[in-house]
């Protein structure tokens, strides 16, 4: 943005857009660890990665998420592009995954098709803790199968994800039945709420007219209290939906996955039918009701966006919320392994040779770090020290003339002159000795345990 002051054009410093967030290097290990877990789980359970674009047609979400939802009514970043297309920054990825499934004829593949979608979503919500306007989700979606075991296994995947991260998942589950039973229930709920309308918050007064189900989702304490004795959707399910839900619960019981039956889990998106669920933080780990993830069955979504009938089920997890919970609870997250070797150089000729040696070491898979722009040996050794590096290779002018290189043991301070040609075999020997814990020990900044350890 530009402003004019006394005839001069001044530029205002660009700032981070409200509700957005920079992800900084000190958080890299959280993102890496979560990504690792997600992709491991995807592999274990036979999911394949699908990447859909951030820009989609606006109509996709209006038809799938529903016109009267907060997301569509208030939160989508939408614009008309230069060609006149009405586009949005995707607020979620489930509708996109179904669009891609239909568009690429995945219905002709053996069913079910299991897909993982991973990336950033955009919702123009009021920024507050755990609520960003750009956030990241991963979503496991199973398309082309209506069996309750699919819902149960998706819940098990979500459960395992949190357990393996050291987070106690608090599973809240419900069933929304089918469209007809939901309509009957909506009328019944509206009849219950109408005489109590004055006690509802302003938003819920509107919700009562447009979609009374949404009142159950309200976090306002008076709305919660008012709906405590409201009719429950579970009593309106038909026989088939009831049987589906019972089977999901039986699978969970069989796997000893604890859950809480919660008639308020109606979700903020209109495409759900039958099973719906949310994962909240465990009782002692975070604020209840701030969902870490959620999902359910969406058998009607494909039809809503003009495709065939495709039964489907899935869930998404919000990565920022998981990271804040890991931090809040001081849960140990492994960091990057520090490099094994530091390559130091003194003078222009040795810098050239060091540049080449660096590439050779890298191609051999030897983790090496350098600081080529530094001149003196002292600042380079200081960096090596800070990074807990055990071996520093030094190439000075004398070494260039002699065709040698110095191996400096940072613990003892001893230096050995090694024939330059033998640098790689000598390093490999020392590193494998270290790996066997026999000779030189290579220290890592963080060891990589498979299981998270809670700091005491
Ligand atoms: P959702 O409940 O809207 O579901 O979002 C899932 C998760 O994304 C939430 O539980 C939360 O962790 C995170 N999230 C949502 N909004 C924000 C925000 N503004 N800031 C930070 N995190 C946020 C869906 O998106 C569905 N697509 C889930 C699904 C997949 N259903 C079936 N398959």
């Amino acid at each position: 943005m530009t402003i004019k002051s006394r005839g001069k054009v001044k530029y205002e410093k660009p700032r981070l857009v409200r509700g957005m967030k920079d992800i900084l290097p000190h958080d890299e290990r959280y993102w890496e660890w979560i990504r690792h877990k997600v992709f491991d789980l995807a592999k274990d359970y036979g999911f394949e990665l699908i990447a859909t674009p951030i820009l989609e047609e606006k109509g996709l979400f209006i038809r799938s998420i529903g016109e009267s939802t907060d997301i569509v009514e208030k939160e989508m970043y939408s614009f008309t592009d230069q060609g006149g297309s009405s586009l949005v920054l995707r607020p979620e990825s489930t509708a996109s995954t179904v669009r891609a499934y239909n568009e690429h004829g995945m219905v002709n593949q053996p069913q079910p098709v299991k897909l993982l979608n991973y990336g950033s979503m955009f919702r123009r919500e009021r920024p507050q803790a755990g609520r960003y306007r750009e956030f990241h989700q991963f979503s496991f979606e199973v398309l082309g199968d209506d069996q309750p075991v699919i819902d149960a296994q998706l819940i098990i995947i979500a459960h395992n994800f949190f357990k393996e991260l050291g987070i106690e998942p608090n599973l809240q589950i419900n069933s929304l039945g089918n469209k007809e039973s939901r309509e009957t229930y909506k009328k019944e709920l509206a009849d219950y709420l109408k005489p109590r309308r004055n006690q509802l918050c302003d938003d819920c007064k509107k919700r009562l007219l447009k979609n009374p189900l949404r009142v159950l989702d309200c976090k306002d304490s008076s709305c919660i209290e008012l709906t405590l004795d409201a009719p429950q959707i579970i009593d309106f399910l038909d026989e088939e939906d009831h049987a589906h839900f019972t089977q999901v619960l039986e699978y969970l019981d069989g796997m000893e996955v604890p859950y809480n039956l919660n008639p308020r889990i109606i979700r903020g998106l209109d495409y759900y039918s039958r099973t719906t669920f949310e994962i909240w933080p465990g009782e002692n780990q975070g604020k209840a009701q701030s969902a870490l993830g959620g999902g359910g069955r969406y058998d009607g979504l494909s039809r809503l966006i003009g495709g065939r009938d495709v039964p489907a089920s899935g869930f998404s997890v919000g990565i920022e919320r998981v990271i804040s919970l890991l931090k809040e609870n001081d849960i140990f997250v492994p960091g990057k392994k520090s490099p094994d070797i530091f390559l130091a150089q003194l003078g222009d000729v040795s810098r050239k040779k060091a540049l080449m040696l660096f590439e050779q070491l890298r191609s051999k898979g030897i983790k090496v770090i350098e600081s080529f722009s530094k001149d003196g040996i002292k600042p380079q050794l200081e960096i090596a020290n800070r990074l807990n590096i055990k071996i520093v290779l030094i190439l000075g002018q004398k070494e260039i003339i002699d065709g040698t290189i110095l191996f400096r043991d940072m613990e003892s301070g001893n230096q050995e002159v090694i024939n330059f040609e033998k640098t790689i075999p000598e390093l490999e020997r020392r590193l494998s000795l270290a790996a066997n814990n026999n000779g030189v020990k290579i220290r890592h900044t963080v060891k990589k345990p498979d299981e998270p350890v809670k700091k005491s």
Side-chain angles (χ1 to χ4, degrees):
M1 190 197 281
T2 57
I3 37 172
K4 279 200 169 175
S5 118
R6 285 198 217 136
K8 280 189 188 162
V9 177
K10 269 174 84 182
Y11 292 92
E12 240 179 51
K13 259 196 224 155
R15 297 231 201 104
L16 184 69
V17 174
R18 189 166 138 79
M20 303 286 153
K21 199 166 154 287
D22 292 318
I23 299 171
L24 299 175
H26 62 74
D27 273 346
E28 185 188 358
R29 63 197 175 114
Y30 291 96
W31 290 88
E32 271 301 303
W33 199 43
I34 290 173
R35 205 184 152 82
H36 218 89
K37 281 277 168 229
V38 171
F39 280 80
D40 277 354
L41 282 169
K43 218 188 292 157
D44 291 350
Y45 289 93
F47 283 72
E48 289 178 302
L49 183 67
I50 184 168
T52 51
I54 283 168
L55 279 188
E56 292 275 6
E57 285 179 7
K58 188 173 183 178
L60 172 66
F61 298 106
I62 295 181
R63 285 157 76 176
S64 57
I65 296 178
E67 227 157 335
S68 69
T69 56
D70 283 352
I71 297 180
V72 168
E73 265 189 350
K74 307 187 241 177
E75 297 168 1
M76 282 204 296
Y77 282 95
S78 57
F79 63 99
T80 308
D81 78 356
Q82 291 84 338
S85 304
S86 193
L87 303 177
V88 292
L89 301 185
R90 62 179 179 195
E92 61 108 53
S93 66
T94 306
S96 311
T97 302
V98 177
R99 176 200 51 70
Y101 170 96
N102 286 336
E103 226 168 321
H104 298 281
M106 290 189 222
V107 70
N108 300 317
Q109 293 175 12
Q111 305 292 304
V113 174
K114 298 177 168 189
L115 299 170
L116 163 68
N117 205 330
Y118 193 110
S120 48
M121 312 294 149
F122 301 83
R123 296 183 193 173
R124 203 178 183 288
E125 296 191 69
R126 202 159 55 82
Q128 50 184 293
R131 219 169 263 286
Y132 303 106
R133 291 179 171 179
E134 182 193 14
F135 60 96
H136 296 74
Q137 280 185 344
F138 67 85
S139 306
F140 282 76
E141 314 282 7
V142 180
L143 299 108
D145 202 310
D146 64 357
Q147 292 301 304
V149 67
I150 299 287
D151 305 9
Q153 199 181 32
L154 281 160
I155 291 172
I156 291 166
I157 296 172
H159 179 84
N160 287 344
F161 168 78
F162 287 110
K163 283 289 233 192
E164 286 167 25
L165 243 52
I167 292 172
E168 204 48 53
N170 175 354
L171 170 65
Q172 307 286 319
I173 192 167
N174 190 22
S175 174
L176 297 184
N178 59 46
K179 210 166 168 225
E180 288 73 44
S181 49
R182 215 157 41 244
E183 285 310 314
T184 318
Y185 173 65
K186 267 188 206 170
K187 281 199 195 92
E188 196 79 17
L189 183 63
D191 287 347
Y192 173 86
L193 292 173
K194 273 176 201 155
R196 300 163 173 86
R197 189 178 175 278
N198 286 342
Q199 295 162 61
L200 290 172
C201 73
D202 288 346
D203 277 343
C204 281
K205 282 183 183 133
K206 288 182 213 144
R207 288 176 183 137
L208 178 57
L209 295 176
K210 284 189 181 166
N211 184 357
L213 277 184
R214 292 268 111 77
V215 177
L216 295 174
D217 204 21
C218 183
K219 305 289 179 274
D220 184 290
S221 54
S222 69
C223 298
I224 294 179
E225 192 148 328
L226 198 69
T227 47
L228 284 178
D229 294 326
Q232 297 193 355
I233 193 152
I234 199 87
D235 298 320
F236 292 76
L237 300 188
D238 70 15
E239 222 173 285
E240 275 180 40
D241 291 343
H242 209 281
H244 183 101
F245 193 40
T246 309
Q247 281 183 60
V248 174
L249 299 181
E250 280 172 5
Y251 286 122
L252 296 179
D253 290 336
M255 293 298 291
E256 296 183 3
V257 172
Y259 55 81
N260 185 30
L261 293 174
N262 186 340
R264 287 178 189 277
I265 303 298
I266 52 111
R267 313 276 298 125
L269 310 102
D270 274 356
Y271 53 60
Y272 291 106
S273 54
R274 293 191 163 172
T275 319
T276 51
F277 62 93
E278 285 183 3
I279 311 272
W280 297 351
E283 265 175 36
N284 302 317
Q285 283 189 317
K287 243 176 46 198
Q289 290 190 32
S290 71
L292 299 170
R297 186 156 275 287
Y298 48 94
D299 293 342
L301 201 161
S302 170
R303 252 290 155 81
L304 283 174
I305 60 168
R308 293 196 215 171
D309 268 332
V310 178
S313 194
F315 73 89
S316 310
V317 168
I319 298 176
E320 282 81 356
R321 290 195 189 169
V322 175
I323 292 179
S324 6
L325 202 75
L326 290 171
K327 288 181 177 174
E328 248 169 67
N329 287 279
D330 214 3
I331 292 172
F332 177 84
V333 170
K336 264 200 292 197
K337 184 177 170 292
S338 68
D340 304 322
I341 311 295
F342 187 94
L343 176 54
Q345 38 66 43
L346 286 165
D348 220 26
V349 183
S350 45
R351 185 175 289 134
K352 278 188 191 137
K353 199 164 178 182
L355 208 57
M356 209 179 289
L357 178 59
F358 182 91
E359 294 302 321
Q360 289 164 350
L361 294 175
R362 197 181 80 86
S363 70
K364 290 279 175 192
I366 296 173
K367 287 200 180 358
V368 55
I369 193 165
E370 45 66 37
S371 187
F372 288 150
S373 61
K374 298 263 182 305
D375 282 328
I377 189 72
K378 204 168 160 227
Q380 296 186 67
L381 290 181
E382 274 168 11
I383 295 171
N385 219 5
R386 213 172 44 237
L387 294 173
N388 265 339
I389 295 223
K390 185 70 181 106
I391 302 170
V392 176
L393 305 178
I394 305 172
L395 266 178
Q397 279 165 11
K398 184 170 182 328
E399 287 71 38
I400 297 290
I401 294 166
D402 296 348
T404 58
I405 188 164
L406 288 183
F407 273 50
R408 182 185 171 97
D409 182 327
M410 289 296 282
E411 218 158 68
S412 64
N414 292 340
Q415 294 191 164
E416 274 176 73
V417 181
I418 305 284
N419 181 337
F420 183 79
E421 299 303 324
K422 301 229 168 88
T423 309
I424 291 178
E426 185 55 28
L427 271 180
E428 284 174 338
R429 189 184 70 77
R430 291 181 189 221
L431 291 173
S432 80
L433 274 179
N436 293 332
N437 219 3
N438 243 340
V440 187
K441 266 192 222 132
I442 303 289
R443 266 185 279 137
H444 303 310
T445 38
V446 190
K447 293 186 201 83
K448 189 179 176 288
D450 269 326
E451 287 307 309
V453 183
K454 181 120 199 276
K455 281 192 212 155
S456 53

